[in-house]
Amino acid sequence: MRRKVIFGNFHYRECDNLALYLEKMARQGWIFKDWRLGMVFEKEEPQNLEYAVEVFSEGNENDTKPEPETEEFVVYCREAGWELVSSRKKLCIFRKIYQDAAPIMEPEERYRNIKKAERESGADQIDEDQILFIRQVLKLQKI
């Protein structure tokens, strides 16, 4: 069995991009199996899989495996037609197991969870710091 590990980091606000990436890899025959130090893929027949990457706001930045609170969320998602493939920090990666699976979260709830996770991880601070830096540079250029 051939395996490959892809190292990369995704921000919470990039959930959809990560899901699209996993779907693209599956179409090429690289099926996502786990997220350890990197994303672990195994070579199989190409497949049209659908992924959902969600932020579980009750998760922990230090989670490396599903904690009890995450497990409850996973049961709910499985009943809705989504199987947990892996999780890391507050990110949960699901694969669709029923064609008629309902979305895991409503857009408003999803947005709130992403914003909360970004704020708690400090990721939104980076954006604000960058904006402040740019403003200061622009002020200096006016002198």
Side-chain angles (χ1 to χ4, degrees):
M1 180 179 306
R2 290 187 6 195
R3 281 187 163 191
K4 75 173 164 180
V5 178
I6 305 290
F7 297 97
N9 212 2
F10 288 88
H11 295 283
Y12 290 116
R13 63 181 167 259
E14 297 175 306
C15 291
D16 291 337
N17 290 339
L18 177 53
L20 291 172
Y21 175 75
L22 298 175
E23 291 168 5
K24 177 183 172 187
M25 292 295 285
R27 287 190 303 274
Q28 296 172 2
W30 290 104
I31 309 303
F32 177 71
K33 297 295 181 178
D34 199 3
W35 196 332
R36 295 183 188 149
L37 293 175
M39 293 177 283
V40 179
F41 294 86
E42 289 182 2
K43 188 67 172 167
E44 297 181 14
E45 290 295 316
Q47 299 176 43
N48 284 319
L49 300 175
E50 188 173 334
Y51 288 91
V53 179
E54 300 294 347
V55 173
F56 178 58
S57 63
E58 302 305 313
N60 188 307
E61 282 296 311
N62 299 315
D63 284 356
T64 56
K65 61 181 169 76
E67 298 296 325
E69 296 83 8
T70 308
E71 290 291 346
E72 291 176 21
F73 179 59
V74 168
V75 169
Y76 160 80
C77 293
R78 184 159 189 74
E79 291 172 359
W82 297 90
E83 172 184 46
L84 180 71
V85 180
S86 189
S87 66
R88 180 173 183 246
K89 298 185 178 184
K90 294 183 180 205
L91 283 179
C92 294
I93 301 170
F94 296 93
R95 185 171 33 241
K96 192 177 206 179
I97 54 176
Y98 301 130
Q99 199 58 33
D100 62 344
I104 295 172
M105 291 184 195
E106 293 297 321
E108 297 81 18
E109 179 184 12
R110 194 167 193 255
Y111 177 76
R112 282 192 307 272
N113 287 348
I114 290 169
K115 287 300 291 179
K116 180 181 177 187
E118 292 261 318
R119 188 174 48 254
E120 289 173 354
S121 72
D124 65 338
Q125 189 64 40
I126 294 169
D127 294 335
E128 291 173 14
D129 290 344
Q130 289 171 342
I131 291 168
L132 181 61
F133 175 75
I134 290 169
R135 285 182 180 161
Q136 289 176 344
V137 168
L138 291 174
K139 282 182 184 178
L140 290 174
Q141 290 178 349
K142 290 181 182 179
I143 296 176

